[in-house]
C-alpha cells in the first residue's frame, strides 16, 4: 500500500522477492514503534545515513548480555523508537520449531515489543527487534515462562549454533544437535555473563560441507569427519552413471586427491581411501551411492573470525580427529583449556586467532597440551627464525 | 523470588517432527527432486520431503503466524529455518507435497534455494537497527533478490552461489567467505567530537583499537588526534568511542568481493577478494550494486565448468582473466597493503594477457 510518508521504501514493496517493507507495514498497523521505525528508515533512505545512536547499556536481572541497547538519534521526530532495544533469544538447536512454540513467542513479543523479528540473526539467535527500556524485564519474564532463554552479546561466548545434522542429513558424522545442546547448557554462565577479552564463538558442522560456516565464523570450529573408508553401493553408482552423471568428468576428474578410478566398461568405481581427504565432492554428487565411513568423529579447528580487529582468519586444525560422544567431556575440557589461555593472555578485543598469531602456535599448543602434527599446517615454515627450549639443547 | 536464569533454549528434541524423531541419525540418502524440493529417505524406508522458501529475514509476528498456519495445514505443526533465513516445511505425507508447493506459490513465497541455485542472502541490520552501518542491508538484499529471482527458483547456475551482505567492516555474517560479498564501507576518517571523547571514552583503549596505529593522544585537548593518512576507515575506534563517528552520506557506500567459499568440497575454504572498491549508496534500489552482482554471476555462469564455484572458476582462469571477462576496472585499492599483503603478490612471469 502506498504511503505518503514513505515513497522510497514503498518502491521496495514491488518485485517478486518477499518485502521487508511490507513486514514493517504489517507491524506498523498495530504498533507505534514499528510505524516510527518505518518512518525513520525512510529518513535514512533520504539522508544516506543511519539514525541510531552509539550503543547504550541495558539488560535484565541476572544477565550481563543478551539485550542490546538501541536509541534513535532523532527521538523527537520518532518518539516511539527513542528506545528500541533488541533481545537475542537462544534458538532451539537446528532451528526446529513447533508452531505452538512459535505462536507463544509471537504472543509475548506482540505484548511487549514492536512485533518485528529476524528469523534469525546472523549468529543464529531469534532476534526480537525493538522494545522500550521498561518492557525489557517484563518481556524476559514472559519469555522465561514459555521456555526461551537469552543468547549471548558482548565479550561472552556468543550463542553457539549447528547445522541440521542427523535430524535430516545423512552426511552428519556427529550428532550436531545433541553436542550443541550439551555445550550450550554446560556453558550457560559463559553465554550469559561477559567475562572474556572479547566475544568467542563455537559452531558445529556435521561434515566438511560446513553448512553453518564454522571454519569461517567461529573461534572453535567443530567439523564432522570420518577415519575409515567411504561406503560404496556399487549398484547405485552404476545407476547414477546410467542416469546421466558423467562419473569420469564430474566425479573422478574433480577429485582433489586423484584417489578415484572409474571403469566405464564394468561401471565400477574404486577409491583408494588412504589417499582420500574426505572433501565430500563425490558424496555430494552421488549421495545414494556413496556415504561417509562408519568410524566417525570431528576435526577441531580454532581461530576463525571476521576482520575486526586485525583481519579475518579461518580456523586452523588443532585436533585432527576427536570422537564425539556424550557427555563430550574431552571436547568441553579442551574448550575450557583454550579459554583459560586466551583469558589469561588475550588483550582487550583480541580474539583467539589473533592471540595465537601474536604469541605463536608453539605457546598455544603447550598451553592446551597437544602435540604438533602435520595435519595442522598446509606447509612448513620457509624462514629460519624458530625457537628451542633451553632444556632441549644439552 | 530470585530471578530465573540460565535454563537454556527450548530442547530441540521437543521441536522435531515425529518422522525426524523416529529416523534421527538413520537417514540413508537424499534426492533433489526439483528446485526447492528435497526428498530424504531413511534406513526404515520412511520419506521426508522438504520444501524450502525464501524469507525477507525481517519479518512480523503476523508473518510467523502465517507460516505456522501453513505448517499446521501441511506439516502437522512443525517447521524449521535454515542458517540463511529460509523456511523449510517438512512433509512426511507425499500427497501433501504438491498442494503445499502450489499453496506457497499462490501466496507469493519463493520456492527454491536448493541445488545449483542462488540461495537467500545472509545479511545484517543496516540502517534498520545497527549503530555503525555504512549502508542499508535489507534494501540492497531485496533489490538484488528481485533482480536475481530466477536464479533462486530455478537451477540455472554451474554450482550453488552464496551471497552475503554486511553493512560495515565488522563483516558480521560470514561475508568474508562468500561467492559474492556485498560490504558497506566508509571512505572518510572519523570526525572527532572532543567533548564526547573526554567524557565517555577510555583513551588508551581507543588508541589500541586502531589496526594501523593512526590514533595518538593529544595532551593539549586531553583528547585524540587521527593521522588521516594512516586511517583506512575501519570504524574500530568508533566501536570503542562514540566521539569518533565516521558515517557520512558521501563517504559511505558499498564494495563488492568475490570468490569465497566455506565448504571444503574439492578445494579448501577461501576468502572473498575485493573486485569493486566502491559503489555509491543509491536507495531505494542500489542499481549500481544489483547490476554489478548480476553481471558477475552471469559471467561466471557463462564461463564456469559444471560444479565449479565462483572462486574455483577464478582460480582456474586467473584473476587477470576475471577482470578481462567481466570488464571490471582494476583499481589500485584491489592491491593489498594491510598486514599480509605480500602473500597476494605474484612472483612468476607466467600470467595471461
Amino acid at each position: 500500500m502506498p504511503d505518503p510518508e514513505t515513497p522510497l521504501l514503498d518502491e521496495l514493496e514491488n518485485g517478486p522477492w518477499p518485502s521487508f517493507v511490507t513486514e514493517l507495514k504489517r507491524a506498523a498497523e498495530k504498533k507505534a514503534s514499528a510505524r516510527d521505525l518505518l518512518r525513520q528508515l525512510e529518513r535514512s533512505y533520504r539522508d544516506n545515513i543511519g539514525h541510531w545512536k552509539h550503543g547504550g547499556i541495558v539488560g535484565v536481572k541476572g544477565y550481563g548480555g543478551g539485550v542490546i541497547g538501541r536509541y534513535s538519534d532523532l527521538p523527537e521526530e520518532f518518539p516511539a523508537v527513542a528506545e528500541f532495544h533488541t533481545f537475542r533469544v537462544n534458538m532451539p538447536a537446528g532451528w526446529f520449531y513447533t508452531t505452538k512454540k512459535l505462536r507463544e513467542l509471537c504472543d509475548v513479543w506482540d505484548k511487549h515489543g514492536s512485533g518485528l523479528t529476524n528469523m534469525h540473526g546472523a549468529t543464529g539467535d531469534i532476534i526480537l527487534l525493538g522494545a522500550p527500556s521498561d518492557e525489557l524485564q517484563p518481556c524476559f519474564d514472559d519469555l522465561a515462562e514459555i521456555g526461551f532463554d537469552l543468547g549471548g552479546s558482548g565479550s561472552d561466548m556468543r550463542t553457539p549454533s549447528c547445522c541440521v545434522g542427523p535430524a535430516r542429513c545423512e552426511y552428519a558424522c556427529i550428532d550436531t544437535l545433541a553436542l550443541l545442546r550439551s555445550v550450550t547448557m554446560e556453558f550457560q554462565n559463559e553465554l550469559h555473563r561477559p567475562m572474556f577479552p572479547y566475544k568467542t564463538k563455537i559452531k558445529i558442522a556435521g561434515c566438511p560441507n560446513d553448512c553453518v560456516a564454522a571454519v569461517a565464523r567461529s573461534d572453535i570450529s567443530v567439523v564432522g569427519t570420518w577415519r575409515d573408508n567411504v561406503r560404496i553401493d556399487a549398484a547405485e553408482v552404476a545407476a547414477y552413471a546410467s542416469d546421466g552423471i558423467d562419473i569420469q568428468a564430474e566425479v573422478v576428474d574433480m577429485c582433489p586427491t586423484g584417489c578415484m578410478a572409474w571403469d566405464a566398461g564394468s561401471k565400477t568405481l574404486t577409491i583408494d581411501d588412504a589417499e582420500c581427504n574426505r572433501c565430500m565432492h563425490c558424496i555430494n554428487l552421488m549421495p545414494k551411492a556413496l556415504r561417509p565411513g562408519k568410524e566417525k568423529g570431528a576435526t577441531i579447528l580454532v581461530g576463525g573470525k571476521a576482520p575486526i580487529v586485525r583481519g579475518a582468519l579461518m580456523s586452523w586444525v588443532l585436533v585432527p580427529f576427536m570422537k564425539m560422544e556424550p557427555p563430550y567431556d574431552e571436547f568441553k575440557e579442551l574448550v575450557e583449556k583454550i579459554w583459560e589461555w586466551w583469558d589469561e593472555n588475550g588483550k582487550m578485543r583480541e580474539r583467539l586467532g589473533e592471540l595465537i598469531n601474536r604469541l605463536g602456535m608453539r605457546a598455544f599448543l603447550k598451553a592446551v597440551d597437544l602435540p604438533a602434527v602435520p595435519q595442522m599446517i598446509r606447509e612448513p615454515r620457509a624462514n629460519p627464525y624458530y625457537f628451542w627450549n633451553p632444556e632441549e639443547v644439552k | 523470588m530470585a530471578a530465573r536464569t540460565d535454563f537454556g533454549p527450548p530442547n530441540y528434541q521437543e521441536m522435531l517432527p515425529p518422522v525426524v524423531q523416529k529416523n534421527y541419525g538413520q537417514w540413508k540418502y537424499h534426492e533433489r527432486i526439483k528446485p526447492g524440493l528435497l526428498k530424504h529417505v531413511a534406513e526404515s524406508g520412511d520419506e521426508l520431503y522438504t520444501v524450502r522458501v525464501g524469507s525477507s529475514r525481517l519479518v512480523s509476528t503476523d508473518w510467523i503466524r502465517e507460516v505456522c498456519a501453513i505448517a499446521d495445514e501441511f506439516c502437522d505443526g512443525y517447521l524449521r529455518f535454515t542458517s540463511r533465513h529460509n523456511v523449510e516445511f517438512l512433509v512426511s505425507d507425499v500427497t501433501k507435497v504438491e498442494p503445499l508447493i502450489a499453496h506457497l506459490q499462490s501466496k507469493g513465497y519463493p520456492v527454491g534455494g536448493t541445488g545449483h541455485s542462488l540461495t537467500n542472502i545472509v545479511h545484517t541490520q543496516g540502517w534498520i537497527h545497527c549503530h555503525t552501518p555504512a549502508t542499508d542491508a535489507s534494501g540492497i538484499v531485496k533489490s538484488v533478490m528481485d533482480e536475481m529471482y530466477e536464479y533462486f527458483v530455478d537451477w540455472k547456475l554451474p554450482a550453488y552461489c552464496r551471497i552475503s551482505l554486511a553493512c560495515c567492516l565488522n563483516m558480521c555474517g560470514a561475508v568474508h567467505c562468500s561467492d559474492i560479498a556485498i560490504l558497506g564501507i566508509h571512505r572518510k576518517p572519523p570526525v572527532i567530537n572532543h567533548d564526547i571523547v573526554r567524557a565517555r571514552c577510555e583513551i588508551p583503549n581507543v588508541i589500541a583499537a586502531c589496526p594501523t596505529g593512526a590514533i595518538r593522544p593529544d595532551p593539549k585537548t586531553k583528547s585524540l588526534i587521527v593521522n588521516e593518512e594512516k586511517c583506512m576507515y575501519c570504524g574500530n575506534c568508533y566501536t570503542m568511542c562514540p566521539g569518533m563517528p565516521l558515517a557520512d552520506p558521501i563517504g559511505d557506500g558499498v564494495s563488492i568481493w568475490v570468490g569465497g567459499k566455506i565448504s571444503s568440497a574439492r578445494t579448501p575454504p577461501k576468502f572473498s577478494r575485493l573486485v569493486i572498491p566502491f559503489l555509491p549508496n543509491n536507495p531505494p534500489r542500489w542499481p549500481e550494486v544489483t547490476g554489478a552482482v548480476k553481471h558477475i554471476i552471469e559471467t561466471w555462469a557463462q564461463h564456469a565448468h559444471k560444479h565449479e564455484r565462483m572462486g574455483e572458476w577464478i582460480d582456474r582462469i586467473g584473476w587477470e582473466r576475471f577482470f578481462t571477462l567481466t570488464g571490471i576496472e582494476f583499481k589500485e585499492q584491489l592491491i593489498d597493503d594491510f598486514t599480509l599483503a605480500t602473500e597476494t603478490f605474484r612472483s612468476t612471469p607466467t600470467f595471461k594477457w
Side-chain angles (χ1 to χ4, degrees), chain B residues 44-96:
Chain B
S44 67
D46 287 354
E47 295 176 350
L48 173 62
Y49 294 85
T50 299
V51 179
R52 184 178 292 174
V53 304
S55 87
S56 56
R57 178 179 183 258
L58 174 63
V59 293
S60 63
T61 47
D62 284 356
W63 179 90
I64 297 173
R65 291 175 203 280
E66 205 172 86
V67 294
C68 284
I70 298 170
D72 283 347
E73 190 179 343
F74 295 92
C75 316
D76 304 315
Y78 298 88
L79 75 163
R80 78 173 287 265
F81 292 81
T82 72
S83 60
R84 304 187 76 88
H85 322 308
N86 299 305
V87 187
E88 289 185 338
F89 294 96
L90 306 167
V91 188
S92 45
D93 176 357
V94 65
T95 64
K96 289 184 175 171

Side-chain angles (χ1 to χ4, degrees), chain B residues 29-50:
Chain B
Y29 67 89
H30 75 278
E31 293 172 21
R32 297 177 193 152
I33 308 284
K34 60 180 182 179
L37 178 61
L38 304 170
K39 174 186 176 183
H40 285 82
V41 179
E43 300 280 5
S44 67
D46 287 354
E47 295 176 350
L48 173 62
Y49 294 85
T50 299

Side-chain angles (χ1 to χ4, degrees), chain A residues 1 7 34 36 56 111 144 170 184 193 202 227 231 275 286 312 327 368:
Chain A
M1 292 273 281
D36 272 0
K111 181 175 162 195
E170 71 274 19
T184 305
R193 271 143 228 118
I202 299 175
R227 260 199 309 209
R231 287 177 283 168
E275 297 308 309
M286 303 193 292
V368 297

Side-chain angles (χ1 to χ4, degrees), chain A residues 11 30 45 86 170 175, chain B residues 24 30 62 129 136 238 285:
Chain A
E11 162 54 28
K30 297 182 212 161
Y45 271 50
T86 307
E170 71 274 19
D175 189 340
Chain B
Y24 192 91
H30 75 278
D62 284 356
H129 209 236
D136 190 34
Y238 182 61
R285 286 229 170 241

Side-chain angles (χ1 to χ4, degrees), chain A residues 69-323:
Chain A
R70 197 61 83 226
Y71 299 88
S72 171
D73 74 0
L74 301 166
E76 282 161 17
E77 205 172 325
F78 308 111
V81 292
E83 301 165 351
F84 198 68
H85 312 311
T86 307
F87 279 97
R88 289 188 184 157
V89 177
N90 198 341
M91 71 296 183
W95 299 287
F96 281 93
Y97 295 94
T98 60
T99 54
K100 179 172 176 287
K101 202 42 121 189
L102 278 177
R103 286 199 184 89
E104 290 172 4
L105 186 68
C106 290
D107 290 342
V108 169
W109 190 230
D110 282 342
K111 181 175 162 195
H112 296 285
S114 70
L116 287 165
T117 76
N118 294 138
M119 298 299 283
H120 295 76
T123 298
D125 295 291
I126 301 161
I127 305 292
L128 302 179
L129 211 58
S133 307
D134 58 9
E135 286 291 341
L136 297 178
Q137 190 64 46
C139 184
F140 173 72
D141 292 342
D142 282 354
L143 286 170
E145 206 56 43
I146 59 167
F148 280 102
D149 201 348
L150 296 183
S153 71
S155 294
D156 64 8
M157 176 183 81
R158 297 297 179 87
T159 305
S161 71
C162 72
C163 69
V164 70
R168 199 205 44 204
C169 185
E170 71 274 19
Y171 299 161
C173 295
I174 52 175
D175 189 340
T176 55
L177 293 88
L179 174 59
L180 179 71
R181 176 146 183 96
S182 182
V183 165
T184 305
M185 298 314 288
E186 179 84 24
F187 297 123
Q188 283 285 299
N189 194 34
E190 289 79 358
L191 175 62
H192 291 140
R193 271 143 228 118
M195 57 179 71
F196 292 127
Y198 201 16
K199 65 179 107 174
T200 179
K201 300 191 175 190
I202 299 175
K203 289 188 188 288
I204 303 164
C207 82
N209 285 329
D210 194 357
C211 290
V212 283
V215 168
R217 303 188 56 190
S218 54
D219 301 83
I220 300 175
S221 322
V222 181
V223 180
T225 191
W226 65 96
R227 260 199 309 209
D228 53 345
N229 297 346
V230 172
R231 287 177 283 168
I232 306 181
D233 183 329
E236 292 294 348
V237 174
Y240 275 110
S242 309
D243 244 18
I245 286 198
D246 181 342
I247 293 186
Q248 184 64 45
E250 294 182 51
V251 181
V252 174
D253 292 349
M254 294 188 82
C255 169
T257 65
C259 72
M260 311 180 91
W262 171 240
D263 183 334
S266 63
K267 290 194 176 171
T268 309
L269 183 74
T270 47
I271 301 177
D272 179 0
D273 280 279
E275 297 308 309
C276 167
N277 69 4
R278 303 169 313 285
C279 83
M280 296 297 293
H281 172 71
C282 59
I283 297 175
N284 287 339
L285 255 62
M286 303 193 292
K288 222 167 167 172
L290 303 178
R291 308 171 74 180
K294 288 184 167 172
E295 196 189 340
K296 293 169 177 176
T299 301
I300 315 295
L301 307 92
V302 296
K305 60 182 282 295
I308 299 300
V309 175
R310 298 198 179 275
L313 298 170
M314 276 187 268
S315 283
W316 309 297
V317 172
L318 179 67
V319 181
F321 189 85
M322 186 186 279
K323 277 276 179 199

Side-chain angles (χ1 to χ4, degrees), chain B residues 204-232:
Chain B
N205 288 344
V206 185
I207 292 169
C210 180
T212 63
I215 303 175
R216 63 176 200 274
D218 182 356
K220 263 189 265 170
T221 58
K222 294 200 168 73
S223 177
L224 295 161
I225 298 176
V226 174
N227 178 344
E228 298 197 349
E229 283 184 8
K230 281 184 164 181
C231 175
M232 40 60 170

